[in-house]
Amino acid sequence: EVKEVYPLNRELQNKHGGIVLIGDQLYGDQGDKGIIFCANLMTGEVIWKSRGPGSASASVTAADGHLYVRYSNGVMALVKAQTSGFEDKGNFQIPGSGSRPSWSHPVVVGGKLFLREGDKILCYDVKS
């Protein structure tokens, strides 16, 4: 049986960047605008939304209490996953990016951040 919890909420629309669930909060990119949001899972209420250091659409993954946000213009940002607001903990331009949009998703596994840029795979040690 399917039960609607809340009606369609256009503020939670997501094109291709993914939405992640951490605790009772949803985090993702609003549409394909590069505006990162935090929303309550059960109500759909947007707690905060913010434009980060990159532009255009963003793909999001999560690990260790943080969001790894990869903007299509090649900016990679580490954002604290919290309800108190957007907090950029650091960012960098992915080598070889920027000349054309890229929509690949970041992957974090075993303390390593993997990024694809064109025909290259980049790996960063992100262990605490």
Side-chain angles (χ1 to χ4, degrees):
E1 180 179 337
V2 176
K3 178 182 168 192
E4 183 178 277
V5 177
Y6 48 85
L8 177 67
N9 182 340
R10 294 196 186 277
E11 287 191 291
L12 303 181
Q13 71 178 342
N14 181 266
K15 187 171 182 180
H16 55 74
I19 293 177
V20 295
L21 175 65
I22 302 174
D24 293 329
Q25 274 49 257
L26 299 168
Y27 297 90
D29 175 30
Q30 191 176 51
D32 64 350
K33 301 175 186 173
I35 298 172
I36 307 305
F37 68 80
C38 170
N40 181 283
L41 170 66
M42 295 311 294
T43 66
E45 173 192 3
V46 174
I47 299 167
W48 59 259
K49 59 184 175 178
S50 180
R51 181 166 305 283
S55 64
S57 64
S59 48
V60 179
T61 195
D64 301 322
H66 289 85
L67 306 174
Y68 290 80
V69 182
R70 191 244 166 87
Y71 294 88
S72 63
N73 71 335
V75 173
M76 186 71 215
L78 180 67
V79 177
K80 183 82 173 158
Q82 60 188 8
T83 57
S84 59
F86 184 95
E87 183 181 348
D88 183 355
K89 302 297 281 184
N91 63 76
F92 65 93
Q93 185 74 39
I94 299 168
S97 68
S99 61
R100 61 183 191 172
S102 177
W103 297 283
S104 65
H105 289 238
V107 173
V108 179
V109 64
K112 306 266 193 262
L113 167 65
F114 294 91
L115 301 170
R116 181 181 61 79
E117 184 56 48
D119 61 354
K120 294 181 175 47
I121 299 290
L122 306 166
C123 179
Y124 296 88
D125 186 349
V126 293
K127 289 181 190 167
S128 304

